[in-house]
Amino acid sequence: MALDTVNGAASTPPRPSGGGRRARHAAARHGGSILRVIATLAFTFLGLLAVTFFIGRVVPIDPVLAAVGDRVNAATYERVRIELGLNLPLWEQFFRYIWAALQGEFGESVLTSNPVLDDIRRVFPATLELATVATVIGVVLGVPAGVVAATRRGTWIDHAIRLLGLAGYSVPVFWLGLMGLLVFYARLDWLPGPGRIDLFFEGLVTPVTGIILIDSALAGEWDVFWNAALHLVLPASILGYFSLAYISRMTRSFMLEQLQQEYVITARIKGLTERAVVWRHALGNARVPLVTVIALSYGTLLEGSVLTEIVFSWPGLGFYITNSLLNADMNAVLGGTIVVGAVFIGLNLLSDILYRLLDPRAR
Amino acid sequence: MHVRILPVAGAIGLSVMLAVAPVKAATPSNMVVMAWQIDELISLDPAEIYEFAPAELAANFYDRVVYYDIASPNEMKGGAAESWTISDDGKTFTFKIRDGVKFHSGNPLTAEDVAWSMQRVVKLDKGPAFILTGFGLSKDNVEQKVRATDARTVVFETDKAYAPTFVLNCLGSWVSSVLDKKTVMANEKNGDLGGAWLKTHEAGSGPFTLNLLKANEMVMLDAFEGYWRGAPKIKRVALRHVPESAPQRLMLEKGDADVARDLGPDDLDVLAKNPDIKIRKIPQGMIYYLGLNQKNPNLAKPEVIEALKWLIDYKGIEKNILRETKIPHQTFLPSGFFGALDDTPYTLDVEKAKALLAKAGLPNGFKVTMDVRNTYPTADIAQIIQATWAKAGIQLEIIPGDNKQTLTKYRARQHDIYIGRWAPDYLDPHSNAQGFAWNPDNADDSSNKLLAWRNAWDIPQYTGMTEAALAEKDPAKRKAIYEDMQRQFLKVSPFVIMFQDVAVLAERKNLQGFEHGPNFDVIYYRNMTK
C-alpha cells in the first residue's frame, strides 16, 4: 500500500494486527476455543473504531462547512452543527456512533447524500472485482516465477525475475497506468478507456452483486460481460503486476529456505525427479507461509488502490475513503474503515482455516 | 482529492509521445459525453446546492423565474416568468408566469409552484438561502412576502428598495429554480419538504431530465421532449467522472468524449496541435487572492500591504504555472461583470517593495505564515511567492493543509495570510462587493463571516458604499460607485488580488452550441448539436 497512498494522508486505516495469529495458536493449543477468537476479534474491532473515530474528530477540519458551504450565517451554521450532533461531548458522540453501528446504521455520507452503506455497496464490489482479478494474476504468475528464480538461483533468469520484481516495487503505479492507457487504448485501440463499462451498456444490467462480471453473466448479457472484462484488463494487470512482484519475491525466499532443508537432500537421494522435489515437496512446505503472504496482499488490494482508481476513473473503495477523509465526511470514513477492518479480519480467519487444512501439524 | 505528482509525471510521460490518436468519433450523433472531475454531487436540491457541478445540473433540469441568456449578458430574460413590473417604491416585483409550461411529470407549471419553490429555499435555510434572505425574507414572513396571487401571478416583496438589476440578478441564480410542488410533496418525509428525495432526484420543467446518478462515477441526462422552448437536439448527455487530466485528454482524442473540462496546461498544449479539437476559453467569476489578516500588526501597516502587492511575480506565475488556465486580474470584480475595472497597476518591483518596507520600519523584512490549500495551483503559487518575498527579507512559512482544513482556520481568523479563491454566488457585482468590501460587525462573534471580516478589516466607509451601490436605482451611478471602490481598493485593501479563472473547454470539432456562461450556474446543454 505504500506505493499507493495520497500525500501521506492515511488512506490505509490501522490494521487489526496479531489478533488472528495469536488466536490461532491459542485455538490450536486448546483445540479451538472459538469464544476467545471472537472476543479478540470484537476487541480489535472496537479498538479500530475508537482510533478512527477520535482521529476523525480531532483533525482540524470542520464537518459543518462540508455540509453547508462557506458563506452561511452563524445561525444556520449552529443549527447544522447541532443536527450533526457535534455539540455533544466527544465520548457521547462515540457511544452514539457505536450504538448506531451495532444496529447497522452508519448515517449518511455528506458528500454523496446516500446512506453510507449504500455507497459502500456500490464502491466495494468495484474494488473486489479489481482486487480479485489482480490477485489471481499475481498468484498464477508470481508463484511459479518465484519458484523458478529460487531453483535457478544466480542465473540470468533469476536476475531477470528479480529485476521484474524490483521494477514492480519502484515504478509509480499511476505512470504505468497512464502509459498503459496511452499504448493500449489511445494508440493501439486494443482496450477500452477509463471506467468500468462503456456508456452504451450502462443500465442494461440490474446490479445484483455489484460485480459486473457476475451480474452480466447471470443476466446472460454477454456483450456487457465482455465489455466489462476488457475494461478490467488494464487496471487489473497493473495491480496484478505489483501483486506479482511481491508474491514472486516472497516465494523465492521461502523456496530458498526450503531447498536448503535436509528433507530435500533426502528426497533427491531417494531418486525423486527434480520436478517432484521442487514442486511437490519444497513448494508444498512453502505454501503455508505463502498463504499468509497472498492473503495480506489481497487484503491490501481490497482497501482499494487510490492512484489506480484515479487514473482509470474506477469507482472503488480507495478513492471513496480517501475523498471522504479529505472532505471530513466522517460517516463515510468510519463505514469504509469498518469494511476494511472486516475484510482483514475475514482474511485472517480464512488464512487460519487454510493453514489448518494445509499444515498437518495444525490439525 | 488531488495527487500532486500525478499531472506532472503524467504530462512528462505523455508529452514524450505527441502522436495524435487515430480519428474516430465513438459517441453517437445524438449523444454528448463530457469528461469532467465531478467529486461533489452533495445535493441536487436547489435549496441546498452549493457546489459547482450540482448548480450546473440544476441549470439544465429547472427553469428559473428569470433567465441568464449568454447572448445578452447585461439583462435578465424571462424564464418561468414571461414579464414583470416593479412598483414605484422599488419594493414589489410582480411576475407574470408563462402559460403552457409543463414539468417532467406532466403537471402544468403554475404561479403556486413558483412561489412555493422560493418559500421552500427560505424555510429550509440551507447553504444558498442567504441569496433570498438578504431581501428581508425569513421563515416567518416568506409566505406573505413571496406569494401567488392568482394562477399566473407571483408577487415578490423586499424589505427595502434595492437596485432592480440586483434583485433580478439574484433571481437569475439557481435559488429561483421552479420545482414541481405536487411531485416533491409526494416524496416528503417527516416534514422535510422533499429535501431527502431531491438530493438525488429532480422535479423540474427544464430541457433535461435526470436518467442516472452514480456518485463519483457518472450522471446521465435525457432530453425532455415537452420542453417549452423546444426539445433539445441532443437526446442524451453523459457526464463521466474522470478525475485526471491525462485520461480526459485520451478520451477526447479517441472520440470517447466530446468535451474535456479539466485539462492541465501540458495536455492543452498537445491538443492545440490537433485539428479535430477546438479549445475555448471563457473568463469565470472565480478570483485568486491573498488575504492579509489585519490582526497581525505587521500586515496591518499600509506600507506593508502595498509592498506585498509589488512583491508578486505575476508574469512568472502566469508563465510557469497557470499558463492558459488563468488571466491576470487585480480588482475585486471579475472581468466581464457589470462594473468591473480591468486595471492591473502592479508588477514585480522588489526595490519599490523594499523602500515601502523600510518606510514601515521593517527594512529587514519580517516573519509570517501562509495557509495554503495543498493542491495545484495554490500550492505552486505559494512556493513562487515564498521565493520572491525572500528577496525583500520576508521569511514566509508555508503551512499546507487540505481545503476544508485551511478554510476552517481562515473562518476562525487564526491565519496570518491565506491564499484563497472566491467565486461570486450570482451574476451581480454585489456578491463580490459584499465579500471583499463589507464588514458591518468586526467582532469575533459576528454573524457575517465574509472576506473583509475574515481578515479583520474594519471598514465602515466601504461598508456604506457597498450598501449605497446596492440601493442605487440608476445603473450608470451604480457602476460608478463600484469603479470608485475598486480604484481605492487597489492601493489600500489587505487583499492581493492576482488572477481570474478561465474555463478552458476542449471540444471535438463537430460539437456546437455548448453554452458556458461566466459563472458555474449558467452553463447550458440545450442548444448542443453534433
Side-chain angles (χ1 to χ4, degrees):
Chain A
M1 199 62 190
L3 280 166
D4 217 359
T5 53
V6 180
N7 285 351
S11 61
T12 319
R15 291 176 193 170
S17 62
R21 195 131 313 278
R22 259 202 316 282
R24 185 185 47 240
H25 291 305
R29 269 204 308 280
H30 303 293
S33 66
I34 300 294
L35 272 180
R36 191 172 315 190
V37 177
I38 289 173
T40 319
L41 291 185
F43 194 74
T44 312
F45 216 68
L46 200 70
L48 170 75
L49 277 182
V51 168
T52 324
F53 178 87
F54 285 105
I55 287 176
R57 286 299 185 270
V58 297
V59 285
I61 296 179
D62 187 341
V64 181
L65 286 188
V68 293
D70 123 38
R71 300 178 203 185
V72 287
N73 58 33
T76 309
Y77 179 92
E78 194 48 37
R79 184 171 56 72
V80 175
R81 206 171 78 91
I82 291 167
E83 272 174 24
L84 291 172
L86 292 165
N87 53 335
L88 302 169
L90 212 52
W91 62 266
E92 193 176 337
Q93 287 183 45
F94 180 60
F95 279 108
R96 279 172 155 234
Y97 175 75
I98 295 284
W99 183 239
L102 285 176
Q103 296 164 38
E105 212 20 87
F106 295 107
E108 278 190 359
S109 153
V110 175
L111 280 181
T112 66
S113 302
N114 297 324
V116 169
L117 269 183
D118 288 4
D119 271 344
I120 288 174
R121 252 183 238 131
R122 199 189 65 240
V123 298
F124 187 62
T127 294
L128 184 67
E129 193 165 39
L130 191 56
T132 307
V133 177
T135 303
V136 169
I137 293 174
V139 172
V140 168
L141 299 175
V143 172
V147 173
V148 170
T151 52
R152 307 265 195 292
R153 190 176 178 183
T155 62
W156 67 269
I157 194 159
D158 179 29
H159 290 307
I161 288 170
R162 288 174 66 191
L163 192 69
L164 196 73
L166 189 69
Y169 255 71
S170 43
V171 175
V173 62
F174 55 81
W175 184 82
L176 209 57
L178 284 174
M179 284 298 116
L181 277 175
L182 190 75
V183 174
F184 296 103
Y185 164 62
R187 302 292 300 283
L188 297 173
D189 213 10
W190 291 356
L191 292 170
R196 280 182 85 188
I197 195 163
D198 278 354
L199 277 171
F200 322 109
F201 297 117
E202 197 62 64
L204 285 183
V205 173
T206 357
V208 183
T209 59
I211 296 173
I212 297 184
L213 290 182
I214 295 177
D215 289 350
S216 55
L218 285 177
E221 293 279 0
W222 297 106
D223 287 357
V224 181
F225 179 89
W226 284 117
N227 184 265
L230 284 174
H231 273 276
L232 260 169
V233 171
L234 214 44
S237 302
I238 284 164
L239 284 180
Y241 173 47
F242 288 101
S243 159
L244 176 157
Y246 174 61
I247 290 173
S248 69
R249 237 170 33 127
M250 297 310 280
T251 308
R252 180 177 178 274
S253 65
F254 292 146
M255 284 297 288
L256 285 177
E257 191 191 347
Q258 293 297 332
L259 289 172
Q260 288 158 3
Q261 304 286 337
E262 289 180 2
Y263 73 85
V264 172
I265 300 168
T266 314
R268 285 183 178 143
I269 291 168
K270 267 171 60 185
L272 287 181
T273 60
E274 189 60 14
R275 181 179 297 185
V277 170
V278 171
W279 294 94
R280 191 168 333 135
H281 288 264
L283 185 60
N285 280 318
R287 71 190 173 184
V288 177
L290 255 185
V291 162
T292 310
V293 164
I294 291 167
L296 276 178
S297 142
Y298 187 40
T300 307
L301 287 180
L302 282 176
E303 287 167 15
S305 328
V306 183
L307 294 179
T308 313
E309 286 173 12
I310 287 174
V311 170
F312 290 99
S313 311
W314 198 270
L317 187 67
F319 181 79
Y320 179 75
I321 296 183
T322 310
N323 205 27
S324 307
L325 199 69
L326 293 176
N327 286 287
D329 189 351
M330 283 328 289
N331 286 350
V333 172
L334 290 162
T337 307
I338 287 176
V339 171
V340 172
V343 162
F344 264 95
I345 288 170
L347 282 170
N348 231 330
L349 278 174
L350 189 72
S351 60
D352 277 1
I353 294 164
L354 282 173
Y355 190 95
R356 282 180 216 181
L357 290 177
L358 296 174
D359 189 346
R361 288 168 303 181
R363 280 179 204 149
Chain B
M1 174 57 241
H2 185 99
V3 182
R4 288 290 315 283
I5 196 165
L6 199 49
V8 181
I12 293 166
L14 288 169
S15 51
V16 170
M17 308 166 98
L18 288 183
V20 176
V23 184
K24 64 164 196 147
T27 58
S29 61
N30 63 353
M31 175 172 179
V32 168
V33 180
M34 293 195 196
W36 189 20
Q37 183 180 338
I38 30 176
D39 288 340
E40 22 155 65
L41 287 168
I42 293 179
S43 175
L44 298 182
D45 181 350
E48 195 177 21
I49 285 174
Y50 210 82
E51 309 285 334
F52 290 169
E56 174 173 331
L57 288 168
N60 294 285
F61 292 143
Y62 294 99
D63 280 306
R64 296 173 188 173
V65 173
V66 289
Y67 166 81
Y68 175 86
D69 185 352
I70 287 170
S72 62
N74 289 322
E75 46 156 12
M76 286 287 169
K77 293 266 178 71
E82 60 185 9
S83 64
W84 51 88
T85 54
I86 305 168
S87 64
D88 291 342
D89 66 0
K91 296 199 315 193
T92 306
F93 288 67
T94 307
F95 293 98
K96 261 281 159 279
I97 304 304
R98 207 174 288 277
D99 207 10
V101 178
K102 286 252 182 303
F103 285 114
H104 302 155
S105 63
N107 297 333
L109 183 150
T110 66
E112 175 56 29
D113 293 300
V114 176
W116 179 82
S117 300
M118 287 194 275
Q119 291 167 4
R120 185 177 170 273
V121 173
V122 173
K123 285 179 186 165
L124 289 175
D125 193 19
K126 299 217 163 123
F130 71 93
I131 301 177
L132 290 178
T133 54
F135 295 114
L137 301 174
S138 69
K139 281 180 190 149
D140 307 323
N141 70 13
V142 72
E143 290 188 17
Q144 291 87 55
K145 298 271 191 183
V146 182
R147 60 188 188 274
T149 50
D150 64 43
R152 291 193 48 211
T153 313
V154 170
V155 172
F156 185 94
E157 283 180 35
T158 58
D159 56 346
K160 49 182 192 262
Y162 296 94
T165 43
F166 170 67
V167 177
L168 291 169
N169 286 343
C170 285
L171 292 181
S173 81
W174 72 90
V175 290
S176 82
S177 299
V178 183
L179 278 60
D180 180 351
K181 181 181 175 182
K182 284 198 183 82
T183 303
V184 173
M185 290 311 279
N187 289 288
E188 187 181 41
K189 283 201 194 77
N190 339 320
D192 71 349
L193 299 178
W197 182 78
L198 274 173
K199 278 174 189 263
T200 52
H201 297 81
E202 53 87 14
S205 55
F208 286 91
T209 63
L210 176 64
N211 168 317
L212 178 75
L213 172 74
K214 285 186 179 173
N216 293 335
E217 198 170 349
M218 67 162 41
V219 185
M220 229 185 275
L221 297 85
D222 286 348
F224 173 48
E225 296 302 320
Y227 186 52
W228 62 271
R229 284 191 179 96
K233 295 235 175 7
I234 293 288
K235 297 307 170 198
R236 177 166 283 183
V237 178
L239 310 171
R240 242 197 141 127
H241 174 55
V242 181
E244 275 301 320
S245 167
Q248 281 195 12
R249 181 196 124 193
L250 294 177
M251 289 173 75
L252 186 70
E253 285 177 336
K254 292 278 292 179
D256 284 344
D258 300 293
V259 188
R261 300 181 55 175
D262 308 280
L263 294 170
D266 296 305
D267 288 317
L268 286 166
D269 286 352
V270 175
L271 288 173
K273 302 186 184 78
N274 184 331
D276 299 321
I277 306 291
K278 55 180 188 220
I279 293 173
R280 285 197 290 149
K281 297 177 188 174
I282 303 108
Q284 297 295 290
M286 171 103 71
I287 52 183
Y288 287 74
Y289 71 97
L290 304 180
L292 314 175
N293 191 342
Q294 298 301 287
K295 288 188 169 193
N296 178 313
N298 286 337
L299 297 177
K301 295 178 177 172
E303 299 88 352
V304 171
I305 289 176
E306 207 188 340
L308 295 182
K309 294 179 181 183
W310 289 110
L311 266 186
I312 305 283
D313 185 359
Y314 302 93
K315 281 211 169 60
I317 293 171
E318 190 188 2
K319 197 168 127 251
N320 298 316
I321 293 173
L322 305 172
R323 313 261 270 281
E324 52 274 281
T325 61
K326 309 272 176 295
I327 47 176
H329 192 75
Q330 296 181 0
T331 58
F332 68 76
L333 286 184
S335 186
F337 268 53
F338 176 80
L341 202 65
D342 285 341
D343 297 6
T344 50
Y346 293 103
T347 52
L348 176 63
D349 190 333
V350 179
E351 291 317 308
K352 207 176 255 185
K354 276 184 172 167
L356 283 161
L357 288 173
K359 213 166 136 191
L362 297 162
N364 305 319
F366 54 96
K367 272 191 177 168
V368 73
T369 65
M370 187 191 289
D371 288 283
V372 178
R373 180 184 183 177
N374 200 3
T375 59
Y376 171 88
T378 23
D380 311 67
I381 296 172
Q383 279 167 4
I384 291 201
I385 290 174
Q386 186 179 37
T388 312
W389 287 8
K391 291 177 187 162
I394 299 173
Q395 298 172 45
L396 177 65
E397 184 197 336
I398 292 178
I399 305 173
D402 84 280
N403 181 29
K404 295 279 185 312
Q405 200 179 334
T406 52
L407 197 57
T408 302
K409 193 171 163 186
Y410 188 35
R411 283 179 55 103
R413 306 207 279 193
Q414 289 163 346
H415 63 298
D416 286 346
I417 300 179
Y418 175 83
I419 178 167
R421 33 182 221 173
W422 174 269
D425 292 297
Y426 39 83
L427 287 158
D428 188 273
H430 182 66
S431 186
N432 276 28
Q434 193 185 27
F436 286 95
W438 183 76
N439 185 7
D441 173 9
N442 197 32
D444 281 353
D445 60 354
S446 166
S447 64
N448 297 296
K449 304 192 168 181
L450 296 169
L451 303 184
W453 177 89
R454 285 180 208 176
N455 291 292
W457 194 35
D458 200 0
I459 39 168
Q461 77 279 24
Y462 292 122
T463 301
M465 283 170 93
T466 297
E467 285 167 2
L470 182 63
E472 181 54 61
K473 265 193 172 151
D474 176 1
K477 285 185 186 155
R478 190 174 179 220
K479 195 167 166 217
I481 299 177
Y482 287 125
E483 285 171 352
D484 184 26
M485 283 168 81
Q486 287 169 91
R487 268 186 212 103
Q488 297 183 44
F489 259 57
L490 274 166
K491 194 171 158 72
V492 303
S493 81
F495 297 107
V496 184
I497 295 170
M498 304 176 288
F499 299 101
Q500 179 176 345
D501 236 333
V502 177
V504 185
L505 305 174
E507 298 165 309
R508 295 212 50 102
K509 265 265 164 28
N510 62 347
L511 178 75
Q512 302 295 333
F514 174 33
E515 298 181 310
H516 195 305
N519 208 22
F520 58 86
D521 71 323
V522 288
I523 298 175
Y524 306 127
Y525 311 153
R526 186 169 63 90
N527 293 321
M528 292 196 294
T529 54
K530 267 167 80 173

